[in-house]
Amino acid sequence: MKYGYARVSTINQDLKGQIDILKEEGCEIIFKEKFTGTTAERPQLAELIQTLKEGDTLVVTKLDRLARNTKDGIEIIESLFDKGVNVHVKNVGLMEDTSMGRFFLQTLLAVAEMERNMIVERTQEGKAIARQRDDFREGRPKKFKKKNIEDALRMLDEGMSYKEVSEMKQISVSTLTRAKRKAKAEAIEKASK
């Protein structure tokens, strides 16, 4: 039987592209999950490995969808070879349980891990450079402009309820509460100077 495994790293990413490829490849059952490759916790992969038996084929679109790093990839694929499971990586081909197949596997996984590490390094370098700028702010950009928040706080001060202001300004009650708390703290700090 042909099984597929699809994985993306974040909740916001879409599995559809991988699933379409796996269906085209003739996978009868597809296991899918949204877990970062850096975590060992991948329940769907664990269940799939338990399900596979001798003569089955596991299909993945790319090797890094299956493994977190070189060591992890070699362990997973060797355990599958030991069970008599064929492994087909779409962008590489059928991985065989031969000396050449194992060498090819180790080389590919090492390159994929190096590529991931380089991406992390470049991201960290970019952040370090950005932190040197005066206008750098860590984290997500603010969703609401300062004027919108000020208007909402003014409405609260005029006696409107948090719920009314939230519905009117399309700002969540929790955001309004935080803004109100921050404004109060700033007013106290200003008064104490």
Side-chain angles (χ1 to χ4, degrees):
M1 183 177 273
K2 255 190 188 178
Y3 291 86
Y5 177 69
R7 180 184 63 78
V8 290
S9 302
T10 67
I11 300 296
N12 298 331
Q13 289 178 314
D14 189 12
L15 288 161
K16 187 182 179 334
Q18 289 180 57
I19 292 169
D20 289 345
I21 292 169
L22 295 172
K23 282 180 180 174
E24 284 174 21
E25 192 57 34
C27 293
E28 298 163 57
I29 299 173
I30 299 173
F31 286 73
K32 47 194 172 284
E33 62 193 339
K34 294 186 177 193
F35 265 96
T36 176
T38 59
T39 182
E41 181 81 18
R42 288 172 288 166
Q44 288 296 303
L45 178 60
E47 185 181 334
L48 170 60
I49 290 171
Q50 289 296 317
T51 304
L52 291 165
K53 56 188 181 303
E54 188 173 351
D56 287 340
T57 299
L58 170 62
V59 183
V60 291
T61 56
K62 294 180 182 175
L63 212 43
D64 65 353
R65 300 297 85 203
L66 185 62
R68 298 177 298 135
N69 54 43
T70 305
K71 183 177 179 287
D72 185 46
I74 291 168
E75 286 173 2
I76 290 170
I77 293 177
E78 282 183 344
S79 75
L80 294 173
F81 284 167
D82 291 345
K83 286 175 81 167
V85 174
N86 301 308
V87 181
H88 184 182
V89 181
K90 274 300 287 173
N91 70 340
V92 173
L94 190 62
M95 304 298 284
E96 295 180 342
D97 187 11
T98 63
S99 296
M100 198 60 184
R102 287 174 186 265
F103 169 76
F104 190 53
L105 167 67
Q106 289 175 357
T107 304
L108 282 172
L109 286 165
V111 169
E113 185 175 356
M114 181 190 70
E115 191 176 63
R116 246 190 326 269
N117 291 340
M118 289 175 67
I119 289 168
V120 169
E121 283 177 22
R122 284 194 300 265
T123 302
Q124 296 304 322
E125 287 171 5
K127 279 186 174 181
I129 291 167
R131 282 188 188 104
Q132 294 172 0
R133 293 193 341 242
D134 292 336
D135 63 342
F136 175 76
R137 297 290 173 263
E138 187 79 44
R140 275 191 309 205
K142 300 247 184 267
K143 187 174 178 182
F144 302 102
K145 295 198 183 308
K146 189 177 179 182
K147 173 136 178 44
N148 286 352
I149 297 290
E150 288 171 353
D151 288 346
L153 292 176
R154 198 171 306 110
M155 293 165 84
L156 287 171
D157 290 340
E158 291 170 359
M160 291 181 77
S161 73
Y162 279 89
K163 188 175 185 209
E164 290 171 327
V165 175
S166 174
E167 289 172 1
M168 202 175 271
K169 296 300 263 177
Q170 298 297 303
I171 300 173
S172 72
V173 172
S174 58
T175 300
L176 290 171
T177 305
R178 274 193 307 275
K180 184 80 166 167
R181 208 176 306 129
K182 183 180 175 190
K184 199 180 277 187
E186 288 172 356
I188 291 169
E189 186 181 321
K190 195 182 253 186
S192 68
K193 287 184 180 178

